[in-house]
Amino acid sequence: MSDFEQFRQTFFEECDELLQRFEEVAGNLQPDENDNETLNELFRAVHSIKAGAGAFKLERLVTFAHELEDFLDQVRSGTIHLQTGDPDLIVQSGDILHTLIEYAQAREEAPENLEADVLEQVRQRNPKGGQFSEVQSAEKPRQSGKIKYTVKFRPHRELYEAANEPQLLLEALTDLGETEIEIDTSRIVELSKTDPMESYFDWIITLETESGIEDIEAIFEFVDGDCDLSIIPDETIAEETDDGEVLTSQNPIEVSTTPQNQNDKADGEKAKPSKGSIRVDLERVDQLVNMVGELVIAQAMALESISSEIGIEQINQLQALEDLTMRTRQLQEGVMAIRMQPIKALFSRYPRLVRDLSKKLDKNVNLILEGEATEVDKTIIEELADPLTHMIRNCMDHGIEMPADRVGMGKPEEGTVRLSAEQRNGRILIRVSDDGRGLDPDKVVAKAVKQGLIQEGEELSKEEIEMLIFRPGFSTASEVSDVSGRGVGMDVVRRNIQKLGGRITLESQKGKGSCFTLALPLTLAVLDGMLVATADERYVIPLSSIVETVCPAANQIKEMPDGGSVLSLRGNAIRLIDLCGCMGLSRKGLTEPLRKLAVIVETEFGRHVGIVVDELLGQQQVVIKSLETNYYRIPGVAGSAILGDGRVRLILDVDGLSALLPKSPISKSKTVSEIPAENEIQTIASGG
C-alpha cells in the first residue's frame, strides 16, 4: 500500500468513528432544546469530515458537509432554534454523509440526486443556506497568471500521533504547481536526547501556482491545529488577460494556523506530551495475539519438560521458570486488553434503530440500555451487530403491541425494549427483552405442526416450545413485512452466536413479554482452566465456572429412574454428569478409581451441575483453538487447547454438557416430598 493510500484509508477510518459518534449523539436531540454540548460534538464531527474531504478533493462531500456544518453552527449559536422535525433532519443528514463517504471510499460516483432533497431542507432551515457555492466562487482570486506563495510548515507531535504524514501534504502541494522545498533542521537535537514521538523538522515551500490561497489551505485543513502554518502570497508573475489587463498582487497577507496556546507558553517551557491514542490495523493486533498465544504454549511446554528434571539443588532455575510464567501471563493480559473495548460501541447503534422502527410501525417504544461499560473482545462486538439488530426488530414487530392494544390490556401506552450486558463466570451475558405480548405456545405449536417441524399431538415442555422459534424457516408472522417475517430469522441468529462459542436461549410469558439471552465468551483467545482426568483422557474445565470440588460419600449419591444420578449436598440436589460415559470413553483395562471427584460448576443461568472425574491435575492457562473452524462443532465441547505436553485437549462447555442430560422427572425444580428416599434434600435444582 502506498503512503497516499494509507493516508486515505486513515481518513475513512476516522470518518467511520466520527459518524458512529454522530449517530449516537444525534439521537439525543429534542425539539426546542438547543443542547450546546451535543451540538458542539456534532459540529466538530462534521467539520473534521469536511476538512478531510477537502484534502482529497471530494467536492460533493465537502459541499454537503459545509451546509450541514453551517446549519449546526447557527443552531448552537442560538440563531436557529430546533423545531419539530429538525432532529430527524440532522439524523438523515448523517445518513447522507455516511452514504457519500461509502461511495468516495469505493471510488464510485454517488447517484446524482442522492443528497438533493436533504440538502434543500438543510438550506431552507438556515438563513444563510445555499451560499456556500457562491462563497466558493467569490473566494477564488480573479487571475490568469501564476502567484508565488511562501508556505512555512511546522508539524506538531500530535500530527504524527494521528497517523498523518507530512510527505503526503508536500506531494499535494506539488500538484498545484511548481515547488521548491527547503527543509529546516535547526531544531534537531543530539541522538541520545531524541524523542521518537517528537517533531524536529520544518519545511519552507515556495509555490508558483494559478490556484487560490483557499486551495492551499484545503490541503492542510485535515491537520488543522496539529501544526504551525503560514501562507504568504509575496509575488505575482504578471500576465495579460484576454482584454489586455495586467494582473498584479498587492498587500500580501499571512495566514497562520498556529494554536493560540502555543504562543502563550513561556520561553524554555517544554510542552507536556499529551496522552492520546494510536490507530492500529486489527489484523496486526490479531497477529500479535496469535504470537503471544504461541508463546504461552511454548512456555508451558518448557516448564513441563524442565520442571520434572529439576531437584532441590536447582531451585533457582525453577524460580526463574516461575518468573517467566508470571511475565508471560502479564504480557498475554496486556495484549488481550488491546482487543477489549466497551460494548457501548455496539449498543450506541440501536437507539436510532428503535427510533426509526417506532415511526415505521406507529408504535411508542422506549429503549433502555444497561451495562454499556462491559468490555468485550472487539471481534465479538463486530459479529454481534447483525444478530442483535434482528432480535430488536423482532421485539418491535412481533413483541410490542400497538398503543391502543396495550392500553386495553392495562399496560402503559409506551412499550419498553431493554438491552443489557453483564459479566458472569468469565462470560458475557447479553439480554434483549420486551414487555410485549410474549409467545403464544398454542400458536407456536400449531405453526410448527403446519410447517412439519413436529408431529401433531407431540408433547413438548415450555422450554422446547420456546426453542422452536430457532428452527430454520420458522416464523409466526402472519404476513411478510420489510421489518421481519421473511423466514430468515432466529435460526441464522443462533448459528452466528454458536460460531462465537456462545448460545442463545429464550424465556417468554404470554402477555408479559420475552427475553432473549446470549451467553458468549469474553474473549476468543485464552482462558484459565482446571485440567481434569477421566479414564485415560484429559480435559479442561473453565476455571471461572467451577464453584467447588467435593469427594462425595456413597450415601450422598442417589440413582434416578432415567439412569442419571443426583448428589445431595448441603440440602440441595445437584444433577451429576459422568464425564467418562458422556464422552464415550471406556475404563476397560484400567483400574477403577477408589473414589470419584465431583467438580461442581455453575451454568450461565445460575444452575449447579456436578461433573464426575477421576482426578484433578491442576490449574493451567490455555490458548483456545476453534474446533469448529478446523473440524466441526461438537455438543459439550467449547474448543481445544494445546497443553504443555504438546497434545491437543478438549475444553468442556459446561452448559453444553448439562443440555445433554437425559429428560427425567427432576428436570424441573421439585420439593423433597416429590423425591422418594431423599427426605434430607430440601430443594432439587436441575442442571438442564
Side-chain angles (χ1 to χ4, degrees):
M1 180 185 298
S2 67
D3 290 338
F4 180 80
E5 283 301 312
Q6 187 173 3
F7 191 46
R8 191 173 186 272
Q9 180 177 331
T10 300
F11 164 67
F12 287 117
E13 288 174 354
E14 289 186 350
C15 285
D16 185 60
E17 295 175 3
L18 290 168
L19 286 174
Q20 182 176 326
R21 183 58 182 163
F22 182 97
E23 182 174 316
E24 177 184 347
V25 174
N28 298 326
L29 290 174
Q30 298 294 332
D32 301 321
E33 294 182 13
N34 284 25
D35 185 344
N36 285 337
E37 184 177 347
T38 298
L39 292 167
N40 285 336
E41 192 163 359
L42 294 173
F43 176 85
R44 287 192 295 269
V46 177
H47 175 75
S48 298
I49 291 172
K50 186 193 79 170
F56 292 102
K57 301 187 183 304
L58 305 174
E59 299 299 337
R60 289 177 63 181
L61 181 56
V62 170
T63 301
F64 185 84
H66 180 87
E67 296 287 357
L68 178 58
E69 174 192 43
D70 193 50
F71 171 59
L72 291 171
D73 189 39
Q74 296 294 315
V75 175
R76 68 176 185 164
S77 67
T79 304
I80 299 175
H81 293 280
L82 289 179
Q83 300 176 1
T84 301
D86 284 347
D88 290 337
L89 176 60
I90 293 173
V91 170
Q92 292 173 17
S93 299
D95 293 341
I96 296 297
L97 283 176
H98 188 275
T99 305
L100 288 172
I101 288 171
E102 283 185 336
Y103 276 102
Q105 187 171 9
R107 288 187 168 86
E108 297 178 359
E109 186 66 27
E112 184 176 354
N113 295 318
L114 172 68
E115 71 274 32
D117 291 341
V118 176
L119 184 59
E120 182 60 29
Q121 293 179 56
V122 171
R123 287 173 171 169
Q124 288 177 359
R125 289 291 295 123
N126 183 6
K128 296 170 56 180
Q131 298 181 17
F132 178 54
S133 57
E134 299 173 9
V135 172
Q136 280 186 309
S137 301
E139 284 180 346
K140 291 187 177 181
R142 180 175 175 268
Q143 63 184 59
S144 60
K146 293 182 179 180
I147 296 180
K148 181 181 289 186
Y149 295 90
T150 299
V151 180
K152 297 179 180 180
F153 170 51
R154 171 180 289 187
H156 301 160
R157 66 183 294 149
E158 289 81 7
L159 182 142
Y160 296 102
E161 289 174 348
N164 294 315
E165 177 55 59
Q167 178 186 346
L168 298 175
L169 302 173
L170 299 178
E171 288 178 355
L173 280 178
T174 62
D175 293 338
L176 297 181
E178 300 176 7
T179 57
E180 292 182 7
I181 301 176
E182 178 184 348
I183 186 169
D184 182 357
T185 60
S186 60
R187 294 191 299 122
I188 294 181
V189 298
E190 296 178 10
L191 184 61
S192 59
K193 299 179 181 180
T194 301
D195 181 352
M197 297 300 294
E198 194 54 78
S199 170
Y200 297 102
F201 297 110
D202 300 348
W203 283 271
I204 302 174
I205 306 101
T206 302
L207 171 66
E208 292 183 7
T209 178
E210 296 180 354
S211 300
I213 196 169
E214 74 283 349
D215 295 320
I216 304 175
E217 292 174 345
I219 291 176
F220 293 93
E221 194 170 11
F222 192 39
V223 293
D224 183 25
D226 292 341
C227 67
D228 295 345
L229 176 69
S230 66
I231 306 171
I232 306 173
D234 53 9
E235 180 182 343
T236 297
I237 301 177
E239 281 193 12
E240 289 189 1
T241 63
D242 293 338
D243 57 4
E245 180 183 358
V246 177
L247 299 178
T248 59
S249 174
Q250 297 178 354
N251 299 325
I253 301 172
E254 179 173 346
V255 179
S256 174
T257 63
T258 304
Q260 185 65 35
N261 59 358
Q262 290 290 108
N263 297 324
D264 293 340
K265 291 182 179 179
D267 292 340
E269 180 184 353
K270 185 176 181 180
K272 295 181 180 180
S274 61
K275 292 183 179 180
S277 61
I278 60 173
R279 183 177 289 103
V280 180
D281 186 5
L282 189 59
E283 185 177 349
R284 294 187 180 184
V285 178
D286 288 338
Q287 292 175 353
L288 182 59
V289 170
N290 290 335
M291 289 166 54
V292 172
E294 296 301 323
L295 177 62
V296 171
I297 294 173
Q299 173 268 325
M301 295 176 69
L303 182 61
E304 181 161 325
S305 62
I306 296 176
S307 59
S308 59
E309 302 176 3
I310 293 180
I312 190 64
E313 62 277 4
Q314 288 92 22
I315 190 64
N316 289 336
Q317 288 90 327
L318 185 59
Q319 288 178 342
L321 284 172
E322 292 295 340
D323 185 63
L324 174 62
T325 300
M326 182 183 68
R327 303 299 179 193
T328 303
R329 183 182 182 89
Q330 290 175 344
L331 174 62
Q332 174 267 317
E333 290 175 350
V335 171
M336 290 308 305
I338 298 175
R339 289 188 58 94
M340 305 295 283
Q341 67 175 192
I343 203 166
K344 181 180 180 180
L346 174 64
F347 281 11
S348 63
R349 306 179 186 185
Y350 298 114
R352 165 74 188 282
L353 174 66
V354 171
R355 184 175 179 173
D356 290 347
L357 287 179
S358 294
K359 293 181 178 179
K360 181 177 292 187
L361 299 171
D362 198 21
K363 296 179 179 180
N364 190 6
V365 181
N366 178 38
L367 175 65
I368 298 177
L369 302 177
E370 297 176 344
E372 295 173 274
T374 305
E375 290 194 338
V376 192
D377 190 295
K378 180 174 175 61
T379 301
I380 293 178
I381 288 180
E382 292 173 348
E383 295 295 331
L384 280 176
D386 289 342
L388 286 180
T389 297
H390 188 86
M391 283 187 284
I392 291 175
R393 284 176 173 269
N394 267 332
C395 289
M396 297 280 290
D397 196 15
H398 299 308
I400 303 295
E401 307 94 340
M402 297 300 293
D405 296 335
R406 291 181 61 85
V407 172
M409 298 170 64
K411 294 182 177 182
E413 181 178 316
E414 181 182 68
T416 299
V417 174
R418 190 180 302 270
L419 179 59
S420 66
E422 64 172 314
Q423 290 187 19
R424 181 184 294 177
N425 296 335
R427 294 173 77 83
I428 179 173
L429 298 185
I430 298 177
R431 293 187 174 90
V432 183
S433 61
D434 66 76
D435 64 347
R437 58 174 59 92
L439 284 181
D440 184 337
D442 296 334
K443 183 178 179 181
V444 171
V445 171
K447 195 77 171 183
V449 171
K450 182 178 180 180
Q451 295 180 352
L453 301 177
I454 60 174
Q455 299 296 323
E456 189 169 1
E458 184 176 343
E459 293 186 5
L460 299 175
S461 65
K462 178 178 180 293
E463 291 78 8
E464 289 172 327
I465 292 175
E466 291 171 345
M467 295 305 289
L468 284 173
I469 72 167
F470 296 104
R471 296 285 189 91
F474 182 86
S475 175
T476 58
S478 57
E479 60 183 30
V480 173
S481 70
D482 59 351
V483 176
S484 59
R486 295 188 175 275
V488 180
M490 299 308 297
D491 62 310
V492 177
V493 171
R494 188 183 192 185
R495 285 200 302 271
N496 290 340
I497 298 303
Q498 287 177 340
K499 288 179 182 178
L500 295 173
R503 67 180 48 79
I504 180 172
T505 58
L506 169 64
E507 295 180 5
S508 181
Q509 189 171 356
K510 184 179 178 181
K512 294 188 176 181
S514 302
C515 178
F516 293 95
T517 302
L518 282 63
L520 297 149
L522 283 174
T523 175
L524 304 179
V526 297
L527 64 77
D528 291 316
M530 178 67 71
L531 194 61
V532 300
T534 184
D536 57 350
E537 291 292 337
R538 297 181 178 184
Y539 297 92
V540 178
I541 300 177
L543 195 64
S544 58
S545 300
I546 298 177
V547 178
E548 61 179 314
T549 303
V550 297
C551 189
N555 62 359
Q556 289 182 277
I557 299 178
K558 168 77 174 177
E559 299 296 329
M560 302 304 296
D562 60 11
S565 302
V566 174
L567 168 66
S568 173
L569 182 65
R570 293 188 292 274
N572 292 328
I574 299 174
R575 196 63 186 264
L576 296 178
I577 301 173
D578 182 7
L579 187 59
C580 181
C582 190
M583 289 298 173
L585 304 177
S586 173
R587 289 195 172 90
K588 186 177 181 180
L590 300 174
T591 303
E592 183 76 17
L594 295 177
R595 305 190 72 180
K596 294 183 179 180
L597 296 170
V599 181
I600 310 301
V601 296
E602 184 178 19
T603 68
E604 289 142 358
F605 306 105
R607 299 168 180 170
H608 287 184
V609 180
I611 301 177
V612 179
V613 300
D614 296 341
E615 186 180 1
L616 296 180
L617 302 178
Q619 178 182 341
Q620 187 168 339
Q621 187 180 64
V622 298
V623 179
I624 304 172
K625 300 293 184 182
S626 173
L627 198 63
E628 186 173 355
T629 301
N630 301 294
Y631 189 50
Y632 59 83
R633 184 173 181 82
I634 299 176
V637 176
S640 60
I642 303 175
L643 301 187
D645 59 3
R647 298 189 63 182
V648 176
R649 304 295 183 181
L650 298 180
I651 302 171
L652 299 180
D653 177 3
V654 171
D655 285 77
L657 285 177
S658 64
L660 296 176
L661 286 171
K663 299 289 188 299
S664 72
I666 68 160
S667 61
K668 301 177 182 177
S669 296
K670 290 185 177 251
T671 59
V672 173
S673 60
E674 297 176 276
I675 308 294
E678 285 293 313
N679 294 331
E680 76 281 5
I681 301 177
Q682 298 175 356
T683 308
I684 294 291
S686 165

